[in-house]
């Protein structure tokens, strides 16, 4: 019986020690956060499967809304609309009941894991990959923040250089004795502004690509991870429930409950294994995509920054052409922005 419950060899049931740790796995963010995660997905009472007729035949088990102190004198039988209403109410009651039972079992499992009285199923390799992804995302978010700060500083620098170039050009016209000196300083600032706009376009493209990688690609994978972790908790909760029933006395009533628990456990096991496979696939494709994107973006960033500080205008423009980045200049009020071809 135990072998059938534990499932494939890719996962293992790890006992929880007194301090709540499972082997060398890192701790979760906190018990309160985990409990909130268990409770966050309440039952959806806006959708029912009943469109006509009653629910389950009679309305047995439904509690009347009246207080019973004022007996009804009406002998009119309930119409089709009343039957539909009872059916919808009954179905919503079942939905809430199932959600409550599931939430109770998951909360019980979570607490037993945290306080060292239970066990959890762990795919060690997958857990390490997930933790690595979370750490990578934190580091990339730091790079993204620094990249945005760099673009803000570059923009401010361009505004200052543009204003300084205009001031030099104006003084060149009004100071004949220093016309040449003011003139070539104005031209220098103008050239620096042009190169700075090109560099800003490259950095903006770099930041935009990192932002997409972090907030969309990585976040999408982590959403699947959250679904997988919730499914793992449900799987262990119903596994524990099945194991407890299996150790109890066997009679006619228990046999029916055991068969029902086995079917429910199998459904949660299938869901868990499917999501485990989904996470493994997404992690694989994410890693491949991350390497491809970052190889391109790091090369772009290096070439653009090196050309800018070397004063190599031609190489700077060639870098943007190499990566298919266009600079559009709508006017002098704002620095150029980029759009990918």
């Amino acid at each position: 019986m135990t072998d059938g419950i534990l499932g494939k060899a890719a996962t293992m049931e790890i006992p929880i020690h007194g301090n709540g740790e499972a082997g060398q796995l890192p701790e979760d963010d906190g018990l309160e956060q985990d409990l909130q995660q268990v409770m966050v997905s309440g039952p959806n009472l806006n959708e029912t499967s009943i469109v006509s007729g009653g629910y389950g035949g009679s309305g047995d088990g439904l509690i009347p809304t009246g207080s019973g102190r004022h007996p009804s004198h009406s002998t009119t039988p309930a119409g089709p609309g009343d039957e539909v209403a009872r059916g919808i109410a009954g179905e919503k009651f079942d939905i809430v009941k199932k959600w409550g039972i599931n939430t109770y079992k998951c909360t019980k499992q979570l607490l037993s894991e945290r306080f060292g009285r239970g066990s959890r199923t762990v795919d060690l390799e997958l857990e390490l990959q997930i933790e690595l992804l979370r750490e990578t995302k934190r580091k990339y978010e730091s790079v993204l923040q620094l990249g945005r700060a760099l673009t803000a500083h570059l923009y401010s620098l361009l505004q200052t250089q543009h204003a300084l170039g205009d001031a030099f050009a104006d003084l060149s016209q009004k100071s004949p004795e220093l016309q040449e000196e003011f003139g070539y300083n104005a031209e220098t600032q103008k050239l620096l502004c042009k190169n700075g706009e090109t560099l800003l376009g490259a950095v903006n493209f770099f930041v935009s690509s990192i932002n997409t990688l972090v907030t969309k690609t990585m976040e999408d994978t982590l959403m699947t991870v959250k679904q997988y972790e919730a499914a793992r908790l449900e799987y262990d909760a119903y596994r524990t429930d099945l194991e407890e029933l299996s150790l109890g006395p066997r009679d006619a009533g228990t046999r029916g409950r055991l068969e029902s628990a086995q079917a429910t456990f199998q459904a949660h096991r299938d869901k868990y294994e499917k999501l485990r496979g989904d996470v493994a696939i997404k992690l694989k494709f994410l890693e491949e995509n991350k390497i491809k994107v970052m190889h391109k973006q790091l090369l772009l960033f290096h070439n653009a920054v090196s050309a800018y500080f070397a004063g190599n205008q031609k190489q700077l423009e060639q870098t943007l052409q190499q990566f298919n980045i266009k600079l559009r200049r709508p006017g002098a009020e704002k620095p150029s922005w980029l759009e990918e071809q």
Side-chain angles (χ1 to χ4, degrees), residues 146-199:
L146 292 171
R148 286 172 174 163
L150 179 59
T151 59
H153 293 317
L154 285 174
Y155 179 79
S156 179
L157 176 62
L158 286 174
Q159 295 293 95
T160 303
Q161 288 176 330
H162 189 276
L164 189 58
D166 288 344
F168 284 154
D170 182 61
L171 287 169
S172 176
Q173 299 296 324
K174 297 177 180 179
S175 305
E177 67 281 1
L178 295 172
Q179 183 176 11
E180 183 179 352
E181 288 83 353
F182 276 125
Y184 60 65
N185 273 282
E187 288 298 319
T188 299
Q189 294 303 315
K190 182 179 178 181
L191 178 61
L192 288 173
C193 280
K194 182 179 180 180
N195 290 348
E197 285 186 342
T198 307
L199 176 63

Side-chain angles (χ1 to χ4, degrees), residues 263-277:
T264 305
F265 162 75
Q266 187 60 45
H268 284 286
R269 177 181 176 179
D270 292 342
K271 178 182 177 182
Y272 163 72
E273 291 182 349
K274 179 183 181 301
L275 283 168
R276 185 179 65 184

Side-chain angles (χ1 to χ4, degrees), residues 205-276:
F205 187 75
F206 174 81
V207 169
S208 176
S209 299
I210 299 295
N211 181 66
T212 300
L213 181 64
V214 171
T215 63
K216 293 183 179 180
T217 311
M218 290 185 179
E219 190 61 34
D220 175 72
T221 302
L222 286 173
M223 286 297 294
T224 306
V225 168
K226 289 180 181 178
Q227 295 172 5
Y228 157 75
E229 291 173 338
R232 195 283 306 166
L233 184 62
E234 289 180 344
Y235 166 72
D236 278 338
Y238 285 91
R239 172 185 57 79
T240 302
D241 191 44
L242 179 60
E243 289 174 349
E244 290 175 353
L245 280 174
S246 301
L247 296 175
R250 299 296 180 89
D251 52 37
T254 306
R255 191 176 301 110
R257 291 173 56 197
L258 188 60
E259 290 176 357
S260 176
Q262 179 68 52
T264 305
F265 162 75
Q266 187 60 45
H268 284 286
R269 177 181 176 179
D270 292 342
K271 178 182 177 182
Y272 163 72
E273 291 182 349
K274 179 183 181 301
L275 283 168
R276 185 179 65 184

Side-chain angles (χ1 to χ4, degrees), residues 38-174:
V38 171
M39 298 292 294
V40 72
S41 56
N44 183 1
L45 301 180
N46 295 322
E47 296 182 2
T48 60
S49 60
I50 297 176
V51 293
S52 64
Y55 178 77
S58 66
D60 293 342
L62 295 179
I63 301 175
T65 56
S67 63
R69 291 179 297 174
H70 302 286
S72 173
H73 298 287
S74 174
T75 58
T76 304
D82 294 332
E83 292 295 323
V84 172
R86 287 196 196 97
I88 293 175
E91 182 172 355
K92 289 185 176 182
F93 176 78
D94 285 346
I95 292 172
V96 173
K97 180 180 177 182
K98 290 177 181 178
W99 174 81
I101 292 172
N102 186 73
T103 302
Y104 166 75
K105 290 181 182 294
C106 290
T107 304
K108 179 182 176 183
Q109 174 66 24
L110 179 62
L111 292 174
S112 68
E113 291 177 6
R114 284 310 184 97
F115 293 108
R117 294 192 297 269
S119 61
R120 58 174 296 192
T121 302
V122 176
D123 186 327
L124 291 175
E125 182 179 356
L126 192 61
E127 295 283 348
L128 291 174
Q129 291 180 33
I130 291 171
E131 184 58 30
L132 179 61
L133 169 59
R134 288 183 169 132
E135 179 64 22
T136 300
K137 184 172 182 285
R138 285 191 290 268
K139 292 180 178 179
Y140 274 60
E141 285 172 340
S142 177
V143 171
L144 179 60
Q145 183 179 7
L146 292 171
R148 286 172 174 163
L150 179 59
T151 59
H153 293 317
L154 285 174
Y155 179 79
S156 179
L157 176 62
L158 286 174
Q159 295 293 95
T160 303
Q161 288 176 330
H162 189 276
L164 189 58
D166 288 344
F168 284 154
D170 182 61
L171 287 169
S172 176
Q173 299 296 324
K174 297 177 180 179

